[in-house]
Amino acid sequence: MKQIQKLNCACLVALALIGVVATASAQDPLPSWNDGSAKQAIVHFVQTTTESGSADFVPPEGRIATFDQDGTLWVEKPMYAQVMFCLDRVPAVVAAKPELKNVEPFKTVLSGDREAIAKLLMKDLEKVLVATLTGMTTDQFQSEVKKWLATARDPRWHRSYTDLTYQPMQEVLKYLRANGYRTYIVTGGGQDFVRVYAEQTYGIAPEQVVGTIGGTSYGYDKYGKPILTKEPKLLLNDDNAGKPQGIHLMIGRRPYAAFGNSTGDRQMLEYTKAGGGARLAMLVLHDDATREYAYGPAQGLPDSKVGTFTQELYQEAQQKGWIVIHMKSDWKRIFSFEP
Amino acid sequence: MKQIQKLNCACLVALALIGVVATASAQDPLPSWNDGSAKQAIVHFVQTTTESGSADFVPPEGRIATFDQDGTLWVEKPMYAQVMFCLDRVPAVVAAKPELKNVEPFKTVLSGDREAIAKLLMKDLEKVLVATLTGMTTDQFQSEVKKWLATARDPRWHRSYTDLTYQPMQEVLKYLRANGYRTYIVTGGGQDFVRVYAEQTYGIAPEQVVGTIGGTSYGYDKYGKPILTKEPKLLLNDDNAGKPQGIHLMIGRRPYAAFGNSTGDRQMLEYTKAGGGARLAMLVLHDDATREYAYGPAQGLPDSKVGTFTQELYQEAQQKGWIVIHMKSDWKRIFSFEP
């Protein structure tokens, strides 16, 4: 009898524990976040905009959340993945057009001299971008990007670039979608580039990727099949003021939540917060040199050409209720591959 | 006992009848279509692309269907609704800028002389479009369109323009969505204009409206609130070759089904059919002067400046397996307000 009682007790304790675990996981959609004001702000925003009867309830059709990509959803250091793709493609471009071999900036890129490449000016880089991102069909471009992603590895973790997404942000994407939000990427990167992997990497469909947009031309291949060719014509530079413009162009509604990490995201956050009701604006601050990178120059962090987060932006965030996510203290883990 | 038996019989017959009716409506998602090859083609396409195990099965994420608007989803005669909106707005524009009063084409539009207005050239009309579609904020524009739609009536049925959608096409939209398709409008009309009413009128969200796209600029109103202003800068003319370009820009995937009604839809249908597997391309031919309008000039129908359907397009459709919907014989009823 005592034995049975003991067993029953053990069972009850076990059941209770299972209950606790189940409840805890149901209650915590953001397990990679440390408890703190950033995590609380996200949970509060979702609850207040989706619980029926809430004063700030947002009907499902209006639930739009926008995310910058580089530095917000995945690593952008030492250089944007798309720029790495463009540099890696230079040999193939020069093989097809040998006259470029001794022309700058192609000559420097071909030299493989990392220091010299890092010193290339924006106008040099633009020549590389035009040569490697245009002049082919949209189908050819897509297959080039796929091929590159399959083999390219980043210089620090030696992993596929698509492994370097932030686990806490992946949780935010899923949490928002589970609550009826449509999640969009709004990136300064090329729309066609990001669309190749966004669905598999973030669960974000091509039509929900807003990026820098180049023109295409419609024509026919030698078999008479219609093709779209990527042209060196910029329709939208989806950075800074281009982000609200891109949101209007591609979505046609103001987001309720927006996430960024640099001065290029300022206007997107401003535009988002200018709507009525509860709106969430967040900025990731990279202050963790050990687990990822540390750069600002806000808060005395080292300056950066890539993903600049100025002290002015930090102050504006404080003034306007944009919430700064401190990577070091807010994120329990950064990558899904961490033990 | 006999009485009870009779009652039971009556009940069974009634139940059987209810069953028949329920089955019939479950089996016919397109009740406003007459049985014929057009209706069969739609049903066959949906079945073959959505039934698991089908050789032409399309996974849900790929299910995209695109619809031209003017003349395909709603009436475009005697003139596109958006052009009527622009003409109606001229007095307000001239009131704000009195110097336009004696300048053509504004003078002619203000005269109210319908014949003279109908004779305006495209370059005149463009001046009216620029003056009435740009120079205001996106929010102001949206509220102007809403206000206009609430009171404007078409010259033939004296109904709101949004009443003049084709009931058979509304059924196709619903049928496709019920089978996991995402339905997009791909129109030569202004993207911002169509977005104002597309959700209520067709169940199509703003982000699923692809249209002619103008640039915007980002700035601040006198209270410091961020605003987007519509600029006279054309980013995409979403007609002819612009339709596949717009589809690539806004959706990033090739549609499996495309619906149009004029030469402006040629490339969209061609691009759609160039994909692999089962693809559906359809063209509405307006051959019903009694219930709607008759115009071509295909098949000896009267010529038309609006929604031109040439004999070449008709022949190309025959050759390439694009299915022509003959309004007169394929549609049992045209408008939902018909008795």
Side-chain angles (χ1 to χ4, degrees):
Chain A
M1 182 69 183
K2 213 177 171 185
Q3 194 111 25
I4 291 172
Q5 263 183 342
K6 241 190 190 164
L7 263 173
N8 277 346
C9 273
C11 281
L12 283 173
V13 170
L15 282 170
L17 280 173
I18 291 166
V20 167
V21 172
T23 311
S25 93
Q27 277 175 349
D28 191 359
L30 303 172
S32 298
W33 290 71
N34 287 314
D35 289 325
S37 55
K39 179 175 178 171
Q40 277 166 21
I42 299 167
V43 173
H44 177 74
F45 167 79
V46 168
Q47 288 173 346
T48 198
T49 59
T50 61
E51 283 175 5
S52 64
S54 160
D56 289 321
F57 180 79
V58 177
E61 65 271 19
R63 293 182 198 165
I64 304 278
T66 55
F67 293 80
D68 168 58
Q69 188 197 211
D70 296 304
T72 299
L73 293 179
W74 76 353
V75 173
E76 63 184 342
K77 293 282 252 178
M79 183 38 79
Y80 304 122
Q82 188 181 351
V83 173
M84 301 303 281
F85 164 78
C86 292
L87 295 175
D88 284 353
R89 258 187 62 79
V90 165
V93 166
V94 173
K97 287 186 189 172
E99 67 273 21
L100 293 177
K101 201 172 146 186
N102 292 309
V103 176
E104 288 298 356
F106 303 97
K107 197 178 162 186
T108 297
V109 175
L110 286 172
S111 75
D113 178 346
R114 282 184 181 231
E115 256 180 76
I117 295 169
K119 277 183 195 152
L120 288 175
L121 298 173
M122 190 40 76
K123 70 175 169 51
D124 296 319
L125 223 46
E126 271 169 16
K127 281 181 198 159
V128 174
L129 300 191
V130 167
T132 54
L133 298 175
T134 69
M136 71 290 284
T137 69
T138 51
D139 287 349
Q140 283 163 351
F141 178 72
Q142 194 177 39
S143 88
E144 285 296 335
V145 176
K146 268 189 195 160
K147 218 160 59 184
W148 180 79
L149 283 171
T151 56
R153 295 293 175 264
D154 88 284
R156 175 163 163 188
W157 290 274
H158 309 292
R159 287 187 168 266
S160 167
Y161 285 95
T162 53
D163 282 353
L164 300 184
T165 67
Y166 305 130
Q167 181 58 22
M169 295 307 287
Q170 291 276 15
E171 291 168 7
V172 173
L173 288 171
K174 286 195 186 107
Y175 179 41
L176 284 168
R177 288 198 292 258
N179 284 279
Y181 275 88
R182 296 193 291 303
T183 54
Y184 282 80
I185 288 174
V186 177
T187 174
Q191 188 162 286
D192 285 347
F193 182 82
V194 179
R195 277 174 166 174
V196 176
Y197 57 85
E199 191 148 38
Q200 205 181 331
T201 305
Y202 303 113
I204 293 178
E207 59 264 37
Q208 292 178 346
V209 174
V210 181
T212 291
I213 305 173
T216 56
S217 61
Y218 186 78
Y220 304 89
D221 69 11
K222 58 183 175 180
Y223 308 105
K225 195 182 160 175
I227 47 174
L228 287 168
T229 302
K230 288 172 68 64
E231 298 293 342
K233 186 188 161 192
L234 185 68
L235 294 187
L236 176 79
N237 181 3
D238 194 49
D239 207 11
N240 302 300
K243 291 209 173 191
Q245 290 167 12
I247 289 168
H248 176 72
L249 195 166
M250 296 289 296
I251 313 176
R253 309 196 217 229
R254 193 190 300 264
Y256 274 83
F259 298 77
N261 78 301
S262 79
T263 49
D265 301 310
R266 228 204 111 256
Q267 288 89 342
M268 174 168 75
L269 268 59
E270 180 178 69
Y271 180 68
T272 299
K273 285 290 268 190
R279 308 264 171 173
L280 181 67
M282 301 191 90
L283 284 166
V284 175
L285 182 70
H286 296 257
D287 58 356
D288 192 332
T290 310
R291 295 189 300 168
E292 202 240 11
Y293 292 97
Y295 52 102
Q299 302 297 90
L301 293 165
D303 202 354
S304 174
K305 270 209 308 194
V306 165
T308 313
F309 191 138
T310 60
Q311 188 60 21
E312 290 71 37
L313 182 63
Y314 194 87
Q315 280 161 351
E316 188 174 6
Q318 310 287 69
Q319 284 157 18
K320 297 187 173 170
W322 306 350
I323 293 150
V324 176
I325 298 164
H326 295 81
M327 188 178 262
K328 194 172 180 174
S329 52
D330 281 318
W331 288 358
K332 206 175 281 180
R333 65 174 186 162
I334 294 183
F335 302 110
S336 67
F337 56 78
E338 283 170 23
Chain B
M1 181 67 182
K2 213 175 167 186
Q3 195 111 25
I4 290 171
Q5 263 184 340
K6 240 187 189 166
L7 261 173
N8 277 346
C9 274
C11 281
L12 283 172
V13 169
L15 283 169
L17 279 174
I18 290 167
V20 167
V21 171
T23 310
S25 92
Q27 279 175 347
D28 191 356
L30 304 172
S32 298
W33 290 71
N34 287 314
D35 290 324
S37 55
K39 179 175 178 171
Q40 278 166 21
I42 300 167
V43 173
H44 177 74
F45 167 79
V46 168
Q47 288 174 346
T48 199
T49 58
T50 61
E51 282 175 7
S52 64
S54 160
D56 289 321
F57 181 79
V58 177
E61 64 271 20
R63 294 183 197 164
I64 303 279
T66 56
F67 293 79
D68 168 58
Q69 188 196 211
D70 295 305
T72 299
L73 293 179
W74 75 353
V75 173
E76 63 185 341
K77 293 284 254 176
M79 183 39 78
Y80 305 122
Q82 188 181 352
V83 173
M84 301 303 282
F85 163 78
C86 292
L87 294 173
D88 284 354
R89 260 189 59 81
V90 165
V93 167
V94 173
K97 288 186 190 171
E99 67 272 21
L100 293 176
K101 200 172 146 186
N102 293 309
V103 177
E104 288 298 355
F106 303 97
K107 195 177 161 187
T108 297
V109 175
L110 286 171
S111 75
D113 177 345
R114 284 184 179 230
E115 257 180 77
I117 294 169
K119 277 184 194 150
L120 287 175
L121 298 173
M122 191 41 76
K123 70 175 168 54
D124 296 318
L125 223 45
E126 271 169 17
K127 282 181 198 160
V128 174
L129 299 192
V130 167
T132 54
L133 298 176
T134 69
M136 70 291 284
T137 70
T138 51
D139 287 349
Q140 282 163 351
F141 179 72
Q142 194 177 39
S143 90
E144 286 296 336
V145 176
K146 268 189 195 159
K147 218 160 60 184
W148 180 79
L149 283 171
T151 56
R153 295 294 176 264
D154 87 284
R156 177 163 163 188
W157 291 274
H158 309 292
R159 287 185 168 268
S160 167
Y161 285 95
T162 53
D163 283 353
L164 300 184
T165 67
Y166 305 131
Q167 180 59 22
M169 295 307 288
Q170 291 275 16
E171 291 168 7
V172 173
L173 288 170
K174 286 195 185 110
Y175 178 41
L176 284 167
R177 288 197 292 260
N179 284 279
Y181 275 88
R182 295 192 293 302
T183 54
Y184 282 79
I185 288 174
V186 178
T187 174
Q191 189 162 286
D192 285 347
F193 182 83
V194 179
R195 277 173 167 175
V196 176
Y197 56 85
E199 192 148 37
Q200 204 181 332
T201 304
Y202 304 113
I204 294 178
E207 58 264 37
Q208 291 177 346
V209 173
V210 181
T212 291
I213 305 173
T216 56
S217 61
Y218 186 78
Y220 303 89
D221 69 10
K222 59 182 174 181
Y223 308 104
K225 193 182 161 174
I227 47 174
L228 287 168
T229 302
K230 288 172 69 62
E231 298 293 341
K233 186 186 162 196
L234 186 67
L235 294 188
L236 176 79
N237 181 3
D238 195 49
D239 208 11
N240 302 299
K243 291 209 171 191
Q245 291 167 12
I247 288 169
H248 176 73
L249 194 166
M250 296 289 297
I251 312 176
R253 311 196 217 230
R254 194 190 299 265
Y256 274 83
F259 298 77
N261 78 301
S262 79
T263 50
D265 301 310
R266 228 203 110 258
Q267 288 87 344
M268 174 168 74
L269 269 59
E270 181 178 67
Y271 180 68
T272 299
K273 285 290 268 188
R279 308 264 171 173
L280 181 67
M282 301 191 91
L283 284 165
V284 176
L285 181 70
H286 295 258
D287 59 355
D288 193 332
T290 310
R291 294 188 300 168
E292 202 240 10
Y293 291 98
Y295 52 102
Q299 302 297 87
L301 293 165
D303 202 353
S304 174
K305 271 211 304 196
V306 165
T308 312
F309 192 139
T310 61
Q311 187 60 21
E312 290 71 37
L313 182 63
Y314 194 88
Q315 280 161 351
E316 188 174 6
Q318 310 287 68
Q319 284 157 19
K320 297 187 172 169
W322 307 349
I323 292 150
V324 176
I325 298 163
H326 294 82
M327 188 177 263
K328 194 171 180 175
S329 52
D330 281 318
W331 288 356
K332 207 176 280 180
R333 65 173 187 163
I334 294 183
F335 301 111
S336 67
F337 56 77
E338 282 170 25

